[in-house]
Amino acid sequence: TNSAYERFREGRKTWEQILNTCRDVTRMTSVYEREVGVKRKQRIQRLLAAFPYLLHHHIQPRCMDHTQCDDMRGTPHALVLNEPRLTRSKSKKTTKECWVDKRSLPWCLLPDSVLNKCAQSHNRPLWVADRLSLEFADIQYCTNWTSRERLDLLKHASKLSECIGHCERLHQTAVPLNYARHALRSLTLWSFTLPFGLIDKLGLMTGPTVGLVAWLLFGIYQIGHSIEDPFQGSLRLTDMCNSIYRDVMYGDRNEAGMRRESAFRKDDENDDDWDSVGDAFGLGWTVRAKVNMEYYNDGLELLSA
């Protein structure tokens, strides 16, 4: 159980790093919008917004069922993804077709020319991280944009690539099956022998007591088995993806994100407006607080002496 919870906590921290990295890249491209360029900034925003959805699809594929595939077949909205599939024969490499709707997220964020390249990749989030690195490297040097800013953005792209590896390790490397089976057998054997140690003291209450203890212990074991892979329902990845989309895609068909974009715009604002803002507690409160703080600091100096 401790090992399973550690894996759950690591998966949560990995997606928290993805959220923070996407927000930091968006902030930096917005501050340096003049140097980055409006078109490039829009491309970076769309790639960042598509990254968490593609990573979610990479570790937990969501393909359309046969009925939906029949309805989408022959329409311009159908997109076929080549998903790698492992086989017992090492000499054969097969792929499994996965049908998705190009009108849904994240496929609608990319143009057809870029989407076709991304769809052919077996690791689509890594493809997006590589394309982000290319976009960062193509920004021309100028007075306000030097190698320091470029390396900073490239480090963020490397962080996204590292997050892909962390998610793949948690998803593909499970707790050893022999260890899980041995723990379950040991718990079952202990539960069967527990009544013999309690019958003399509890009497008729032995049955309910053993049932309650077994329910608690087997429940803990089941919880550990459920959170062993945090990406199979334990973490709300869809909510995290939507949160990243709202924070990244401001100014691009996203009303919620435009509220964040207003932080980078000083339209209808004057520097004198800040002088008109008074103290919420009044000037007298500020003076008294300063006097009390000085008195408190003098007391600490006397005590230390």
Side-chain angles (χ1 to χ4, degrees):
T1 304
N2 293 335
S3 177
Y5 181 76
E6 182 64 25
R7 292 166 60 89
F8 171 80
R9 189 176 68 89
E10 186 175 353
R12 183 182 60 185
K13 292 178 62 177
T14 299
W15 275 84
E16 180 183 359
Q17 184 178 3
I18 294 174
L19 176 62
N20 295 332
T21 302
C22 292
R23 287 174 175 174
D24 293 341
V25 173
T26 307
R27 181 187 300 111
M28 193 167 183
T29 54
S30 298
V31 172
Y32 292 95
E33 181 179 359
R34 184 177 303 176
E35 291 76 16
V36 175
V38 178
K39 293 296 183 179
R40 190 185 307 276
K41 174 188 171 184
Q42 184 183 27
R43 294 196 298 268
I44 293 175
Q45 286 178 339
R46 287 177 171 268
L47 290 171
L48 286 175
F51 178 83
Y53 291 102
L54 293 175
L55 180 57
H56 187 191
H57 181 85
H58 180 64
I59 59 181
Q60 190 177 0
R62 294 187 175 184
C63 306
M64 294 187 298
D65 54 22
H66 295 288
T67 303
Q68 294 175 333
C69 290
D70 295 337
D71 296 338
M72 292 290 296
R73 194 181 301 274
T75 63
H77 307 300
L79 178 64
V80 181
L81 306 177
N82 293 324
E83 298 288 348
R85 180 172 56 183
L86 298 177
T87 58
R88 294 183 179 179
S89 178
K90 297 182 179 180
S91 59
K92 295 182 180 180
K93 295 181 180 180
T94 61
T95 57
K96 178 182 177 181
E97 289 187 352
C98 176
W99 290 67
V100 295
D101 190 352
K102 291 196 295 185
R103 295 171 296 181
S104 61
L105 289 171
W107 321 108
C108 63
L109 296 173
L110 305 177
D112 292 339
S113 58
V114 178
L115 184 58
N116 293 331
K117 297 179 181 178
C118 183
Q120 296 300 321
S121 176
H122 288 169
N123 195 329
R124 281 171 281 276
L126 183 60
W127 188 94
V128 171
D130 295 339
R131 177 54 64 93
L132 282 172
S133 301
L134 179 63
E135 293 289 348
F136 299 153
D138 287 342
I139 302 176
Q140 300 296 326
Y141 286 143
C142 59
T143 304
N144 294 330
W145 186 268
T146 61
S147 59
R148 181 178 59 183
E149 286 76 18
R150 175 182 290 182
L151 291 176
D152 192 10
L153 285 181
L154 290 176
K155 288 181 180 178
H156 285 87
S158 299
K159 290 181 180 179
L160 294 178
S161 180
E162 292 176 359
C163 291
I164 298 173
H166 292 166
C167 292
E168 290 176 342
R169 176 172 55 84
L170 292 175
H171 179 65
Q172 298 174 1
T173 308
V175 175
L177 184 60
N178 295 332
Y179 172 80
R181 288 178 177 177
H182 180 72
L184 182 59
R185 291 166 182 168
S186 301
L187 180 59
T188 304
L189 180 61
W190 182 85
S191 300
F192 275 123
T193 58
L194 181 61
F196 299 101
L198 300 178
I199 188 64
D200 295 338
K201 298 181 180 180
L202 299 182
L204 296 177
M205 293 298 296
T206 302
T209 303
V210 172
L212 179 60
V213 172
W215 176 75
L216 291 174
L217 294 180
F218 280 101
I220 295 175
Y221 177 85
Q222 181 61 31
I223 292 174
H225 180 71
S226 300
I227 66 176
E228 176 186 345
D229 188 353
F231 308 128
Q232 299 298 326
S234 300
L235 292 176
R236 298 181 179 179
L237 298 183
T238 302
D239 295 340
M240 296 182 183
C241 294
N242 294 335
S243 178
I244 295 175
Y245 175 82
R246 288 192 302 267
D247 293 340
V248 170
M249 289 294 293
Y250 58 82
D252 191 359
R253 299 183 300 175
N254 185 2
E255 295 181 358
M258 293 185 67
R259 301 187 184 98
R260 185 191 177 195
E261 186 184 17
S262 61
F264 305 102
R265 301 288 184 267
K266 292 186 177 181
D267 301 337
D268 301 330
E269 295 181 11
N270 297 320
D271 294 338
D272 297 336
D273 296 340
W274 293 91
D275 298 334
S276 61
V277 180
D279 190 355
F281 299 95
L283 182 59
W285 182 91
T286 305
V287 173
R288 289 194 302 270
K290 181 179 179 181
V291 172
N292 293 335
M293 184 59 67
E294 293 177 351
Y295 176 79
Y296 177 75
N297 292 335
D298 294 339
L300 291 179
E301 293 179 357
L302 291 176
L303 290 176
S304 62

